[in-house]
């Protein structure tokens, strides 16, 4: 097996790891709090990365990558972890995670707008289908129900807003990173920055109770492993593997993530939810197919 195929397989392992993130973050936040739990996850994940990937020599990194890549990475991770942690219920956490998974669609649209990625007309129905899918998910058991969507969002605008903004930020990160990283992998220092930012927020907010027991401890270790190793594997795949295969596989994360979250969080999901999740995946795939008219120039890395 050549090095490119190995890198692609490593990148594909990130898809499975990422699919478990919503359930694991939620499991930790229920015991350690939204901010404290997220800070603990990224701290342990940073330790895992130092022990496995190592800490890179930052002087060899392009300065633009360290500044812009680090800023966008930290901003996205804050949005992701806190949006799930601030959710009022497990079902809402799963819905928030689904909003976050608009990033593949946003990534391809941004590549078309800013990277001059060639595309055909399929991008329009693809984008519309993804957005309709999210409305279907947020409509509850009624499916596509605009008043229900608005009521749902109004119940916790912070969580849904963070997830939506995070999807946009990640799309921006994915669009520019491969162009400016020059093959460098900054996931370890970036994770450390996220942990530092979260601890600062935690202590600035007066701390708060953190109840660490066997259950939350297991979730903490699993969440940290999924986060740290997932991003490390994704970076290897994107920088050295087949980007087209990895991007295509990433489109199925929403359905897999919802299934794992429903199982681990013991939260049944209605038929309309699954319909909406499939629509999000379908919309992303249509956008992907729309860009197959020319050489792929989009890169989704972290």
């Amino acid at each position: 097996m050549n090095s490119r195929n190995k890198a692609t397989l490593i990148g594909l392992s990130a898809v499975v790891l990422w699919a478990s993130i919503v359930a694991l973050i939620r499991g930790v936040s229920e015991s350690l709090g939204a901010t404290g739990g997220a800070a603990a996850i990224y701290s342990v994940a940073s330790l895992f990365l130092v022990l496995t990937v190592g800490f890179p020599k930052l002087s060899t990194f392009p300065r633009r990558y360290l500044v812009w890549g680090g800023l966008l990475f930290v901003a996205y991770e804050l949005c992701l972890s806190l949006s799930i942690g601030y959710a009022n219920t497990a079902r809402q956490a799963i819905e928030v995670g689904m909003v976050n998974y608009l990033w593949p669609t946003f990534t391809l649209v941004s590549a078309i707008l800013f990277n001059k990625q060639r595309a055909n007309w399929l991008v329009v129905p693809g984008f519309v289908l993804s957005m309709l899918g999210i409305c279907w998910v947020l409509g509850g058991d009624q499916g596509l129900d605009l008043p229900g969507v608005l009521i749902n969002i109004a119940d916790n605008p912070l969580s849904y807003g963070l997830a939506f903004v995070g999807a946009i930020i990640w799309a921006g990160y994915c669009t520019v990173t491969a162009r400016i990283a020059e093959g460098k992998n900054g996931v370890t220092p970036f994770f450390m920055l996220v942990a530092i930012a979260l601890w600062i927020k935690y202590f600035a907010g007066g701390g708060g109770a953190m109840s660490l027991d066997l259950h939350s401890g297991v979730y903490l270790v699993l969440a940290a492993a999924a986060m740290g190793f997932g991003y490390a594997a994704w970076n290897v795949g994107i920088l050295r593997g087949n980007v087209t295969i990895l991007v295509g596989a990433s489109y199925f994360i929403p359905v897999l993530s919802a299934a794992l979250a429903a199982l681990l969080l013991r939260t049944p999901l209605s038929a309309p939810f699954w319909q909406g999740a499939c629509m999000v995946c379908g919309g992303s795939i249509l956008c992907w197919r729309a860009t197959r008219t020319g050489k792929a120039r989009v890169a989704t890395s972290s």
Side-chain angles (χ1 to χ4, degrees):
M1 183 181 295
N2 60 41
S3 58
R4 189 166 188 254
N5 288 339
K6 288 181 180 178
T8 301
L9 287 176
I10 291 173
L12 288 174
S13 70
V15 172
V16 179
L17 292 171
W18 276 355
S20 67
I21 285 177
V22 172
L24 295 175
I25 290 179
R26 181 64 185 180
V28 174
S29 66
E30 288 177 347
S31 298
L32 305 184
T35 304
I41 290 172
Y42 286 94
S43 297
V44 177
S46 297
L47 177 60
F48 286 164
L49 287 169
V50 170
L51 294 176
T52 56
V53 179
F55 192 88
K57 188 176 181 180
L58 297 182
S59 60
T60 64
F61 280 53
R63 181 169 298 181
R64 286 193 306 162
Y65 172 57
L66 289 176
V67 174
W68 290 109
L71 179 63
L72 291 172
F73 189 97
V74 171
Y76 169 73
E77 296 301 331
L78 292 178
C79 287
L80 172 64
S81 58
L82 295 178
S83 66
I84 296 172
Y86 286 148
N88 294 329
T89 64
R91 165 65 185 257
Q92 194 172 82
I94 297 173
E95 292 179 354
V96 164
M98 193 61 61
V99 173
N100 171 72
Y101 287 127
L102 283 172
W103 70 262
T105 295
F106 289 165
T107 297
L108 290 171
V109 171
S110 65
I112 294 169
L113 295 177
F114 303 112
N115 278 4
K116 298 180 180 180
Q117 169 69 53
R118 294 176 60 190
N120 60 33
W121 62 272
L122 286 174
V123 69
V124 175
F127 181 81
V128 172
L129 186 60
S130 290
M131 300 308 296
L132 279 177
I134 288 299
C135 291
W136 218 283
V137 166
L138 300 185
D141 295 338
Q142 288 71 42
L144 186 58
D145 176 24
L146 185 57
V149 171
L150 297 177
I151 292 173
N152 203 358
I153 294 175
D155 179 60
N156 193 346
L158 179 59
S159 279
Y160 290 112
L162 285 172
F164 187 80
V165 171
I168 296 175
I169 293 174
W170 190 247
Y173 178 90
C174 294
T175 303
V176 304
T177 296
R179 291 189 301 159
I180 64 177
E182 297 180 9
K184 300 297 183 180
N185 187 345
V187 66
T188 301
F190 289 172
F191 257 69
M192 291 179 172
L193 288 175
V194 176
I196 291 171
L198 285 166
W199 282 122
I200 290 174
K201 182 180 183 301
Y202 175 76
F203 288 113
M210 298 178 69
S211 176
L212 183 63
D213 53 22
L214 179 60
H215 178 268
S216 59
V218 170
Y219 267 74
L220 172 59
V221 172
L222 291 176
M227 294 287 280
F229 297 148
Y231 282 113
W234 188 250
N235 250 4
V236 171
I238 287 299
L239 295 177
R240 302 171 189 171
N242 189 313
V243 175
T244 301
I245 292 177
L246 294 176
V247 172
S250 72
Y251 298 149
F252 296 95
I253 293 178
V255 171
L256 181 57
S257 174
L260 289 173
L263 177 64
L264 294 175
L265 299 178
R266 300 177 183 178
T267 303
L269 299 173
S270 63
F273 178 95
W274 292 112
Q275 292 167 1
C278 290
M279 290 168 68
V280 172
C281 292
S284 297
I285 292 172
L286 281 179
C287 288
W288 177 53
R289 292 299 304 169
T291 63
R292 302 302 297 146
T293 57
K295 182 179 178 180
R297 298 180 61 181
V298 106
T300 52
S301 65
S302 53

